[in-house]
Amino acid sequence: MTTRHLYVHVPFCGRRCTYCDFSIAVRRRVPVDEYLAALGREVELTGAGATETVYLGGGTPSRLGAAGISALARLLRAGRGLAEFTLEANPEDVTPERVRAWVGAGVNRLSLGAQSFEDRVLAWMHRTHDAARIAEAVRTARRGGIANLSLDLIFALPAAQQRDWGRDLDCAIALEPDHVSLYGLTVEPGTPLFRQVQRGDAVGAPEERYEEEYLLAHERLGAAGYVFYEVSNAARAGREAVHNGAYWRLEPYLGLGPAAHSFDGLARWWNEPTYVGWRRRLEAGVSPVAGHEILNDHQRQLEEVYLGLRTRIGVALPEPCPDKLRSAVDQWVGAGWAVLEDASAPPCVRVRLTPRGWLRLDELVSSI
Ligand code: SF4
């Protein structure tokens, strides 16, 4: 498969965060060589090579350190010329030496897991850093040559945390990131938070607060010059994520590493979810792919609508527009959940969701 977009899943974390249900491998010592040897086999099997964007996600890819990321970049034949080479990092991993090595390896965008600027909240989340470390990591990354920096924040925490979301947004804005990604906390089965909720030790945020905090983020980030170009992502002009944009446009991408997904425009496939399972298959010379699905026309169309409505560009209404669809869209516009815009190339009417509409994204897509 030829693709311009490469995702690599690096599954290692020091411990599991309270809310996390990602495919991770908790390791005090990261088995860098063992992981890279398995990844090297997958690169050989797939013929993967970096062409336009590379995204190292996890897990915590920054735990591979300076030498680990440099070796990984060599495996992928990635270098300094890529349009976007993103590394997800936890603040405590960002040191001047590592940033120097990462930039030397071609990394030009850092996505930093900040989540909150309150130490008490970070401790509850089971994060491995405190608030002061976030600002220090941002300064270190900037000084080391990272011009494009994104911060991740989580909202809608349980009320018992008494988290000041407005203050957290202000702290994030004060660091002048180029990009901000927001995650609304959901209670996922199998997470430490799920068990807390089952024991009655925590209660998830009610829908009203989810809505309030989401809209507050739009207000504060909007006032600071950020544009929400996707339901969960806001950026300064020209700093929209190139790699993630490929997902939303249903462009082909190749995923390597445990639990990684790939898509060639027609079919989607995914790797063994656990680190050990993925590695063992590769060591045995077997493909790590665990399953696949082929999208039929209806599924593809549905995904195009769903993904399009996630973005600020929205989707074009078909011409002629079926009465039922037009009346649903008119209702959304009347309720303040969507706006209609005339696009000149190609000439069409596009519908895009407002922040209040984005809060109802799943419901609105189901309704049509
Ligand atoms: S650092 Fe990220 S991937 Fe690792 S446990 Fe925490 S939320 Fe999950």
Side-chain angles (χ1 to χ4, degrees), residues 7-338:
Y7 172 83
V8 181
H9 191 76
V10 186
F12 308 109
C13 290
R15 58 195 195 199
R16 187 175 282 277
C17 297
T18 308
Y19 48 82
C20 178
D21 74 333
F22 293 166
S23 171
I24 64 163
V26 175
R27 297 283 188 281
R28 198 174 299 168
R29 242 197 76 257
V30 178
V32 178
D33 294 341
E34 180 189 83
Y35 169 78
L36 291 176
L39 190 72
R41 289 193 177 97
E42 195 176 12
V43 168
E44 273 170 35
L45 270 181
T46 56
T51 57
E52 191 175 321
T53 73
V54 170
Y55 193 103
L56 307 183
T60 316
S62 54
R63 295 197 81 223
L64 291 179
I69 294 294
S70 302
L72 197 158
R74 283 194 298 276
L75 263 185
L76 302 176
R77 299 185 299 281
R80 295 183 70 133
L82 291 178
E84 189 181 271
F85 186 168
T86 300
L87 171 69
E88 282 186 356
N90 270 355
E92 69 274 19
D93 293 334
V94 181
T95 64
E97 301 71 36
R98 285 182 182 159
V99 173
R100 202 174 311 123
W102 296 340
V103 170
V107 171
N108 54 26
R109 183 172 183 268
L110 206 67
S111 173
L112 206 58
Q115 318 310 357
S116 171
F117 291 85
E118 278 183 61
D119 286 343
R120 186 182 42 78
V121 171
L122 289 168
W124 173 80
M125 289 178 175
H126 218 199
R127 299 290 297 175
T128 42
H129 61 90
D130 59 17
R133 199 68 188 79
I134 303 170
E136 207 178 313
V138 170
R139 281 193 295 273
T140 303
R142 293 286 197 213
R143 275 200 293 262
I146 297 285
N148 194 354
L149 191 140
S150 179
L151 292 181
D152 285 359
L153 294 175
I154 297 186
F155 68 100
L157 301 186
Q161 293 311 311
Q162 298 187 334
R163 191 268 193 95
D164 186 339
W165 175 233
R167 179 183 172 274
D168 271 354
L169 285 167
D170 291 341
C171 290
I173 291 165
L175 292 174
E176 302 183 354
D178 302 273
H179 186 279
V180 178
S181 293
L182 299 179
Y183 296 89
L185 188 115
T186 51
V187 182
E188 299 298 336
T191 59
L193 178 60
F194 185 78
R195 291 190 285 280
Q196 286 178 24
V197 170
Q198 277 190 321
R199 285 198 306 268
D201 294 343
V203 180
E207 232 172 75
E208 301 74 46
R209 198 144 52 73
Y210 189 101
E211 188 160 334
E212 254 170 48
E213 292 193 359
Y214 181 72
L215 295 176
L216 184 65
H218 274 265
E219 195 185 305
R220 297 269 169 105
L221 288 165
Y226 295 85
V227 173
F228 272 79
Y229 65 101
E230 198 264 349
V231 58
S232 303
N233 290 285
R236 291 203 186 275
R239 291 303 199 190
E240 299 83 4
V242 182
H243 181 89
N244 291 351
Y247 300 150
W248 304 320
R249 288 188 301 272
L250 268 181
E251 287 176 13
Y253 53 86
L254 184 63
L256 306 176
H261 281 55
S262 304
F263 180 62
D264 67 1
L266 289 174
R268 184 171 288 127
W269 61 97
W270 48 90
N271 280 353
E272 264 293 317
T274 65
Y275 170 59
V276 173
W278 168 81
R279 175 173 59 79
R280 287 203 177 134
R281 286 180 78 134
L282 285 160
E283 282 170 356
V286 177
S287 159
V289 173
H292 77 281
E293 63 177 352
I294 296 170
L295 299 187
N296 61 33
D297 286 350
H298 175 71
Q299 286 167 321
R300 206 190 141 84
Q301 215 174 23
L302 195 68
E303 289 207 9
E304 270 170 19
V305 172
Y306 179 72
L307 294 171
L309 286 178
R310 285 182 70 110
T311 70
R312 194 166 185 270
I313 296 167
V315 291
L317 287 180
E319 188 54 57
C321 188
D323 290 347
K324 208 174 146 204
L325 176 61
R326 185 64 208 220
S327 108
V329 169
D330 285 344
Q331 266 182 20
W332 301 355
V333 173
W337 299 335

